[in-house]
Amino acid sequence: MTLKRIILSILTAIAIALVGLSLVGSWNQPQIQSRLELYQTNLLLHASEWQPQNDGDANLTSARNNIVGTEPLNTALTQYQEARDTTRKAITTTQSQIKDIQSAIAAKPDNNTQNLAQKKVLSESIKQQLALQNEIDLRVGILQASNDKTEAAIQTWQNLLERYKTESDGDSSVATARVLTGIWSDPAQLLPDAEPRIQKSLEGWFRYRALAQLYKLQERSKELAALQATEQATAEKAIEKLALIVGIPAIALCIGTFLLVGLTVQWLLQRRQLDKASSGPLLARNGSLAWDVPWDGEIVWQVLVVGFFFVGQILIPYLLLPVSLAVLKLNPATFDPREKAFYIFATYLLLSAGGLSVLYFSIKSFLPLPDGWFRLNWRDNWFLWGLGGYFVALPLVVVVSLINQQLWQGQGGSNPILPIVLEGRDNVALAVFFGTAAIAAPVFEEIVFRGFLLPSLTRYLPVWGAIAASAFLFAVAHLSVSEILPLATLGAVLGFVYTRSRNLLAPMLLHSLWNSGTLLSLFLLGGGAS
């Protein structure tokens, strides 16, 4: 074995270990999809408060009724109770894992570095899960009280209080539970810090309902009228946002389903007319036409391990960035949303530059490349392929995501950028996130996974096998165990579009549209949370 292969083997082992730890670490983390569902529920609750002021609001009234439904409070209560059950299951699972690790530590007290590291990760995870459970309990109680189930609401808050012997054992949710119990009790018990506690610990519709109850008890008619006016304005905006969040994807989903059915029928009717070039059914176009690959598997191995994993997961995050931040005396933990956005953007540009540099120097000796490699043709029909691929990907990924939700029950982690976008309120930060996710990521990832990896694999696999393998590696590279199935499905569509169009602009457009749609939904949902 040559020195180069020895080094590659060592780096591969390190890369596999890091990827494995990242996937295990995401195992008990909440999915962004679960949070998105609750954020959408919060928007629905806001929208349910809207009341028409004149006859000209008939269209909004109809839209509200269609979007919100007949029993929005019961729907929201069911959604939050399901989220609470999921969180409780996750807590029980994590506690069981911690006990197993403690038993392993007790059995082998001399060699427990990995077990201790895993225990630390799980302990931090369970703190987050407990905090989420407390937050959900507060909201479930408010929903129950708003549904005229006051006794059930008080019991929900009492259960939260009973989990902690003293207020200092819990978090701010404990004090808020006392406040809510007081204002919905009969007779009411108004605590002196009731209003600031509600303002601090609750948000959105839940804050509105709690403050409205408090102001009624305190007979503060002016404050109550101002609160209701503010909620009306928020409710009208919520209806408009929900129309975008629900309406646009629904139209795209219908178009995608129609295209998918049409293409499948065409393929079934014309599958005997397959052609290796560009005739026959659209699904079969270039379907078995492999690339002329001038390098062997060692170059592919080198680009993936060194260019993508070593540079992107080790060199930049653990060596270059810490040194640079130490020299500049910067601490990412103290960054505000705008600084965090620029930091993530700069980090992504660095790892993209490093990865593409390794790719270039790995294939430099094979230049000029055979026809068809890294093809970017602005005059081709790439736009139709990219747009059509986006529509077709929607129903496929939605179906897989629904199955995936049942498998993971809201756990399994998500892209760490997504929660930052969801909770962000800074327009400059959001624009920078858009540049990262909708421009930089599609360009870099499509060059690596579709431009290089997929064609290279056709030297050893049929085209469909190369699409599947590259899609799986594309999904794993995102380091979130619950996103492997949906991202692999998206990766398969990206690979299919590229192999048929033979133009990298097509999957780049599809990838950009997908990320842009996700960011738009996050932005609209995040704005409706407060």
Side-chain angles (χ1 to χ4, degrees), residues 5 23 172 197 264 270 306 329 333 349 413 462 470 475 484 516 524:
R5 291 190 176 182
L23 293 175
S172 61
R197 179 60 62 185
T264 304
Q270 302 179 10
V306 180
K329 297 181 180 180
L349 288 182
S470 62
I484 288 179
S516 298
L524 292 174

Side-chain angles (χ1 to χ4, degrees), residues 4 28 108 135 168 205 350 380 433 435 485:
K4 177 184 175 181
N28 291 303
K108 295 181 180 180
E135 180 184 343
S168 60
W205 179 89
L350 276 176
D380 206 348
F433 279 127
L485 287 179

Side-chain angles (χ1 to χ4, degrees), residues 201-359:
S201 299
L202 297 173
E203 62 179 16
W205 179 89
F206 299 95
R207 180 193 294 165
Y208 161 71
R209 275 298 173 105
L211 286 176
Q213 178 71 7
L214 178 64
Y215 292 162
K216 288 176 184 177
L217 293 172
Q218 294 175 333
E219 298 182 351
R220 297 164 62 183
S221 57
K222 289 184 179 180
E223 287 85 351
L224 180 59
L227 179 69
Q228 290 172 338
T230 301
E231 181 61 15
Q232 284 298 300
T234 302
E236 188 170 335
K237 291 180 180 178
I239 294 173
E240 295 170 355
K241 289 180 178 181
L242 283 169
L244 291 174
I245 293 170
V246 176
I248 294 176
I251 294 172
L253 197 61
C254 290
I255 295 173
T257 303
F258 177 78
L259 286 175
L260 190 60
V261 171
L263 290 171
T264 304
V265 170
Q266 183 199 43
W267 180 78
L268 289 173
L269 293 175
Q270 302 179 10
R271 57 186 176 181
R272 295 182 179 180
Q273 301 176 15
L274 302 182
D275 194 291
K276 290 186 177 181
S278 58
S279 62
L282 195 62
L283 285 176
R285 186 168 297 177
N286 299 319
S288 58
L289 184 60
W291 275 259
D292 181 7
V293 185
W295 47 77
D296 58 14
E298 186 172 320
I299 296 295
V300 181
W301 182 20
Q302 176 178 303
V303 170
L304 281 182
V305 172
V306 180
F308 195 85
F309 288 103
F310 176 72
V311 172
Q313 307 298 328
I314 301 174
L315 182 63
I316 291 176
Y318 291 108
L319 296 176
L320 292 182
L321 281 179
V323 172
S324 301
L325 292 172
V327 171
L328 297 173
K329 297 181 180 180
L330 297 175
N331 181 8
T334 63
F335 287 173
D336 60 29
R338 186 175 299 186
E339 292 169 336
K340 192 173 293 185
F342 279 106
Y343 174 71
I344 291 173
F345 182 65
T347 301
Y348 199 88
L349 288 182
L350 276 176
L351 69 89
S352 298
L356 293 177
S357 296
V358 172
L359 171 60

